[in-house]
């Protein structure tokens, strides 16, 4: 009836007698009461059949079940993003407009998770929300944000507080009367750190996809954007290309440069000498965790 060709499709049913499995569909038995707002009714094509899809919030909890912390956060960022996938767009990603709002928000995810006490995946979904940052404009931006922003214990570089695509005011020259003009720029990822004296340090990362930013005109626009953001006080700016993403050594170097600009101590913090056998073991374990994050969400080939 649904004429689906990308199966098998997973279905949730209420009664054991409805369990079915074939090449096109796999049914799962729902064994707990789900919170209100778990399902959205959609046209079924038949007046005799009521059909529902899982809400973005239930989808998040389901996908978090059995996932790593970084993958659970990556799923959450996709659901709270300002992009959607479109195979007919350059790069496969289309930016959402005012009439095409994000499917959910962190606040709505958190509210649902708090009400979903008995749903499998709730614990991981709740913990990962600390690393779900709204308004990502591409899957690669999300991956970079997690690589640089997640805590060391999960394999991130723990550089500071992450904000996706914030509005930054930059100097735009002077007018004929000598008055300063200002423009607005939106770095993809802003990572900031508050100082004890009330000051603020920040670094910005822009992801310039090869498929989207190719061509002399686009390259010129990217270069001018980089130059304008570079004028902001206490803000170090990095531009990362698609080719750069495949080189974890280079991404680590950028992270270490950002760490110095943010005046942070080396990570991970160790209670033993780094050159000792125990220190080398702990550093090797951290590098392994970091590489898993890189593999799962930076160079990921996931469809979101």
């Amino acid at each position: 009836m649904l004429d689906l060709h990308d199966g098998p499709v997973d279905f949730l049913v209420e009664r054991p007698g409805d369990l079915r499995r074939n090449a096109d569909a796999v049914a799962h038995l729902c064994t707990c009461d789900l919170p209100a707002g778990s399902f959205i009714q959609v046209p079924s094509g038949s007046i005799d059949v009521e059909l529902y899809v899982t809400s973005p919030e239930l989808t998040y909890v389901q996908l978090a079940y059995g996932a790593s912390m970084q993958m659970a956060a990556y799923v959450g960022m996709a659901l709270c993003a300002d992009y959607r996938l479109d195979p007919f767009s350059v790069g496969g990603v289309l930016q959402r407009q005012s009439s095409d709002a994000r499917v959910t928000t962190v606040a709505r995810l958190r509210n649902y998770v708090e009400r979903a006490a008995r749903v499998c995946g709730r614990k991981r979904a709740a913990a990962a929300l600390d690393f779900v940052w709204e308004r990502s404009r591409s899957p690669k931006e999300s991956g970079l944000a997690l690589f640089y922003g997640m805590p060391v214990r999960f394999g991130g570089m723990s550089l500071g507080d992450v904000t996706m695509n914030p509005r930054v005011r930059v100097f735009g020259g002077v007018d004929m009367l000598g008055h300063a003009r200002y423009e607005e720029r939106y770095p993809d990822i802003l990572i900031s750190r508050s100082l004890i004296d009330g000051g603020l340090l920040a670094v910005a990362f822009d992801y310039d996809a090869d498929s989207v930013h190719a061509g002399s005109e686009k390259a010129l626009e990217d270069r001018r954007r980089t130059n304008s953001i570079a004028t902001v006080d206490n803000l170090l700016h990095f531009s990362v290309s698609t080719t750069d993403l495949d080189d974890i050594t280079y991404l680590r170097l950028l992270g270490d440069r950002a760490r110095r600009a943010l005046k942070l101590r080396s990570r991970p913090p160790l209670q033993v000498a780094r050159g000792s056998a125990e220190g080398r073991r702990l550093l090797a374990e951290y590098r392994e965790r970091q590489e898993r994050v890189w593999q799962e969400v930076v160079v990921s080939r996931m469809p979101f």
Side-chain angles (χ1 to χ4, degrees):
M1 180 186 68
L2 296 177
D3 194 27
L4 300 174
H5 303 287
D6 298 325
V9 175
D10 290 276
F11 284 90
L12 199 63
V13 298
E14 291 183 298
R15 296 176 296 273
D18 292 332
L19 288 172
R20 298 287 188 275
R21 181 184 293 267
N22 57 42
D24 299 317
V26 178
H28 305 268
L29 182 65
C30 182
T31 58
C32 63
D33 293 330
L34 296 172
S38 294
F39 300 101
I40 301 170
Q41 188 169 10
V42 296
S44 69
S46 171
I47 61 174
D48 299 323
V49 177
E50 290 186 355
L51 185 64
Y52 298 80
V53 296
T54 54
S55 68
E57 294 76 26
L58 176 56
T59 299
Y60 170 66
V61 177
Q62 289 181 315
L63 291 176
Y65 179 67
S68 64
M69 190 66 74
Q70 60 267 18
M71 184 53 70
Y74 186 63
V75 168
M77 290 187 71
L79 292 170
C80 298
D82 281 344
Y83 71 85
R84 60 183 174 86
L85 302 182
D86 185 337
F88 300 105
S89 297
V90 177
V93 172
L94 189 66
Q95 301 305 312
R96 294 184 180 276
Q97 305 301 320
S98 57
S99 60
D100 183 21
R102 288 171 287 156
V103 297
T104 191
T105 64
V106 171
R108 285 160 57 185
L109 290 177
R110 194 178 303 279
N111 177 271
Y112 182 87
V113 169
E114 290 173 353
R115 294 185 290 116
R118 296 185 56 215
V119 180
C120 291
R122 176 188 180 278
K123 184 176 180 180
R124 175 53 53 87
L129 279 174
D130 289 339
F131 320 119
V132 175
W133 300 296
E134 296 177 341
R135 300 194 177 281
S136 172
R137 293 173 66 86
S138 77
K140 297 303 184 184
E141 285 182 25
S142 300
L144 277 175
L146 293 168
F147 184 81
Y148 289 125
M150 287 191 78
V152 167
R153 67 183 182 277
F154 297 124
M157 297 197 73
S158 192
L159 292 181
D161 298 323
V162 175
T163 307
M164 304 300 294
N165 292 284
R167 182 173 59 187
V168 175
R169 190 166 176 255
V170 302
F171 176 68
V174 296
D175 61 21
M176 294 182 62
L177 299 177
H179 299 147
R181 293 185 294 105
Y182 291 91
E183 302 171 351
E184 292 179 350
R185 292 291 183 269
Y186 296 83
D188 296 336
I189 305 164
L190 184 72
I191 303 180
S192 58
R193 175 177 176 245
S194 299
L195 302 178
I196 296 177
D197 62 4
L200 185 72
L201 298 176
V203 295
F205 292 89
D206 272 315
Y207 171 58
D208 297 326
D210 294 345
S211 60
V212 177
H213 298 259
S216 57
E217 182 177 344
K218 195 60 182 174
L220 175 63
E221 180 182 334
D222 292 339
R223 189 164 59 252
R224 289 181 175 178
R225 177 182 63 169
T226 297
N227 290 340
S228 64
I229 294 177
T231 65
V232 180
D233 291 340
N234 299 322
L235 178 61
L236 183 64
H237 180 262
F238 298 100
S239 179
V240 183
S241 71
T242 304
T243 303
D244 294 331
L245 296 185
D246 293 329
D247 188 347
I248 189 173
T249 301
Y250 183 66
L251 294 182
R252 285 168 172 158
L253 174 61
L254 293 185
D256 288 336
R257 288 172 174 168
R259 190 185 309 285
R260 289 177 67 88
L262 294 169
K263 300 182 180 179
L264 291 169
R265 298 178 62 184
S266 297
R267 295 286 192 275
L270 301 178
Q271 304 300 318
V272 297
R274 288 179 169 258
S276 66
E278 179 66 6
R280 291 195 299 271
R281 183 186 68 80
L282 293 172
L283 287 172
E285 289 179 353
Y286 169 58
R287 288 297 180 99
E288 290 176 3
R289 294 196 302 272
Q290 195 178 53
E291 187 156 342
R292 283 197 294 272
V293 173
W294 175 68
Q295 288 282 3
E296 284 197 16
V297 300
V298 178
V299 293
S300 169
R301 298 297 182 263
M302 295 294 288
F304 51 82

